[in-house]
Amino acid sequence: MLALTGTGCQNNQLTSPSMEDELPLKNAAKAATDVSVNPFVDTSAYINSGFNFLNPAQVNKNRQAIGGNAYTEVYGFNIPEENRVRGIRWNTDDETTSIWRPQGIAGFTKDGIRYLLVSWYAKDDAEYKGSRITLIDISPGSGNYLTYRHILLVQPDIPANVSTYTQYGSYAPLKVHAGGIAYFKGKIYLSSTNLGVRIFDLNKLIEVSTGDTTNDKCGKDANGNLYAFNYRYILPQTGYQKINNASPFSTIQVNDEGTQLWTGQYYAGSADASIIPKVFGFSVDPGGMLQNSGIVSVTPKNSLFADNHAHGIQGVFRKGNRTWLSCTGSPSNSYGSNARLARYTDGADDTVRYRWPYGAESLYLESQYNYLWSLTEYEPNAGAQNGSQVNRCIFAVDFSKYE
């Protein structure tokens, strides 16, 4: 149910703008001279032969999500009704599973169909399966409206001494936290906590011949049969770029201008209180490669924390000289949630904060509609507050209310 308990302001905006709106554009992000980007490493040789590729339109979406207002029923959904524009609930299995947890969100439009992409990481008894993405059709006029399919992410490094499943050759699960995902010109960028960015070509989806029938095998066997546990499709990593001196990479998103990829550092406001979190911007060339020049950083302020810095960054979005931050673990509570959407202008003394749902994760702006999308992560009995209630959903707000 929608939780309406807790302390804090009862308005959407939780703090005054301070000096934010008076700052000139010259107070821009600072050059990050100690941060560097290594050249792209092409890892696609393992799929150069023996595979047939598909694009998103060719994926059979086998699950049905729930639309309408049902998303407001999850725990800690505290966004004012007038700001809500879209909401999606997973089917019952995905809403309550404890072995997969959603993290990142992005989207794109192809052949007139609007899609969302959500990244997940496997945990507990399924940890060996690594990470996956979900492709969701969100076009109301589509015949596949709110249908979706989970797709296993894979990479070429074959692990040794596997005991939890049978591992064949060619490809293996990608075991990363998958904390953030971005889409740019047909490519997917996945934040990889300590490495930087892993890159995938969304037009190189592969259908697995044994899909939906086998749960304990992965890879390509000697007879050419493809396995991916119980997944019908895989998306292979085609390369990566290592980023130096900017980890951990907790989230990633393309800026509104389509010229940069922005990453954020997650540090808690308790155990990591002495560490100052930053967000970093990396120029992207027309081919989608991160450039080792023009790298900038922002150190957001947030007076909710004793050291006046923005801890708990789960998602970032950048437009002009402003950064929007999805932050969790705030010391205060508002309508059943200790999360905040924080808007920070370069050089300001503080953020402007808004109510944001419990367990909130990444951010994505669907600019054509001015929808700011996000998602929440917790299954029942997973968060510190939600108890037996479901917290997991996808939602969008009217971005103009937060500018």
Side-chain angles (χ1 to χ4, degrees):
M1 68 183 66
L2 177 62
L4 296 176
T5 59
T7 59
C9 293
Q10 296 186 6
N11 297 319
N12 177 50
Q13 187 169 304
L14 298 177
T15 190
S16 299
S18 183
M19 293 174 58
E20 185 204 48
D21 294 316
E22 301 176 9
L23 290 167
L25 287 172
K26 66 181 181 180
N27 288 322
K30 298 180 180 179
T33 56
D34 58 333
V35 177
S36 62
V37 178
N38 289 2
F40 175 73
V41 176
D42 189 334
T43 63
S44 65
Y46 69 114
I47 54 169
N48 281 352
S49 62
F51 295 96
N52 296 313
F53 299 123
L54 305 175
N55 63 54
Q58 296 171 297
V59 171
N60 177 277
K61 291 174 281 297
N62 65 334
R63 302 191 176 210
Q64 181 69 51
I66 304 169
N69 294 324
Y71 70 113
T72 64
E73 298 173 14
V74 299
Y75 176 82
F77 195 91
N78 61 359
I79 293 174
E81 187 171 357
E82 61 270 20
N83 293 4
R84 309 170 189 173
V85 289
R86 291 290 300 273
I88 300 169
R89 285 183 77 165
W90 304 98
N91 73 12
T92 301
D93 288 345
D94 293 321
E95 187 179 60
T96 60
T97 181
S98 62
I99 59 174
W100 288 95
R101 191 167 284 175
Q103 299 288 297
I105 189 167
F108 64 98
T109 299
K110 184 177 178 63
D111 299 327
I113 303 297
R114 297 158 60 196
Y115 295 97
L116 288 180
L117 296 164
V118 172
S119 61
W120 306 61
Y121 72 95
K123 55 193 289 287
D124 301 333
D125 292 342
E127 186 176 358
Y128 64 90
K129 294 185 178 180
S131 52
R132 70 186 185 188
I133 63 165
T134 305
L135 179 70
I136 312 172
D137 183 332
I138 60 165
S139 291
S142 167
N144 295 312
Y145 179 50
L146 291 185
T147 59
Y148 64 96
R149 169 71 77 161
H150 299 313
I151 299 166
L152 192 72
L153 298 177
V154 299
Q155 48 81 33
D157 297 326
I158 307 300
N161 303 318
V162 173
S163 59
T164 49
Y165 68 98
T166 301
Q167 176 65 62
Y168 296 113
S170 294
Y171 61 85
L174 176 63
K175 295 178 66 175
V176 296
H177 185 69
I181 187 173
Y183 174 91
F184 183 75
K185 294 185 177 180
K187 292 185 173 65
I188 288 176
Y189 300 78
L190 193 72
S191 58
S192 188
T193 307
N194 298 309
L195 174 72
V197 180
R198 296 180 185 270
I199 301 174
F200 306 77
D201 186 338
L202 201 51
N203 290 310
K204 290 193 173 180
L205 289 155
I206 297 171
E207 185 170 6
V208 177
S209 54
T210 57
D212 299 335
T213 63
T214 304
N215 196 41
D216 60 354
K217 298 178 181 179
C218 190
K220 185 177 183 180
D221 70 12
N223 296 317
N225 297 309
L226 306 182
Y227 296 88
F229 307 120
N230 58 331
Y231 289 82
R232 181 170 173 178
Y233 301 93
I234 59 175
L235 181 63
Q237 174 187 293
T238 54
Y240 65 84
Q241 287 191 264
K242 179 174 174 53
I243 302 174
N244 307 295
N245 300 321
S247 65
F249 303 98
S250 302
T251 188
I252 189 169
Q253 194 49 260
V254 181
N255 68 338
D256 184 61
E257 295 79 9
T259 57
Q260 296 171 313
L261 281 166
W262 281 82
T263 66
Q265 296 179 317
Y266 174 89
Y267 288 111
S270 53
D272 299 324
S274 62
I275 302 174
I276 300 175
K278 295 182 179 181
V279 295
F280 296 91
F282 302 91
S283 297
V284 183
D285 71 13
M289 297 296 101
L290 279 70
Q291 301 298 289
N292 188 33
S293 60
I295 302 168
V296 294
S297 69
V298 173
T299 306
K301 303 289 187 180
N302 191 341
S303 61
L304 278 179
F305 294 95
D307 65 355
N308 201 34
H309 293 294
H311 295 286
I313 297 173
Q314 303 279 7
V316 299
F317 174 70
R318 179 79 173 177
K319 180 178 180 180
N321 68 331
R322 284 179 168 177
T323 308
W324 284 258
L325 309 164
S326 174
C327 298
T328 57
S330 163
S332 64
N333 184 289
S334 176
Y335 283 77
S337 173
N338 59 1
R340 298 286 187 274
L341 180 68
R343 187 187 73 207
Y344 180 74
T345 299
D346 294 351
D349 293 330
D350 201 357
T351 59
V352 175
R353 294 181 293 270
Y354 304 89
R355 284 157 44 183
W356 209 236
Y358 180 68
E361 289 289 319
S362 298
L363 300 172
Y364 155 63
L365 182 70
E366 190 179 16
S367 57
Q368 181 181 354
Y369 298 90
N370 215 31
Y371 288 178
L372 183 65
W373 289 90
S374 188
L375 72 168
T376 53
E377 67 170 330
Y378 290 127
E379 72 274 15
N381 299 307
Q385 302 174 34
N386 69 316
S388 62
Q389 298 178 79
V390 172
N391 165 248
R392 186 176 294 160
C393 71
I394 302 170
F395 64 95
V397 296
D398 180 353
F399 184 55
S400 68
K401 302 288 183 65
Y402 300 88
E403 286 194 275

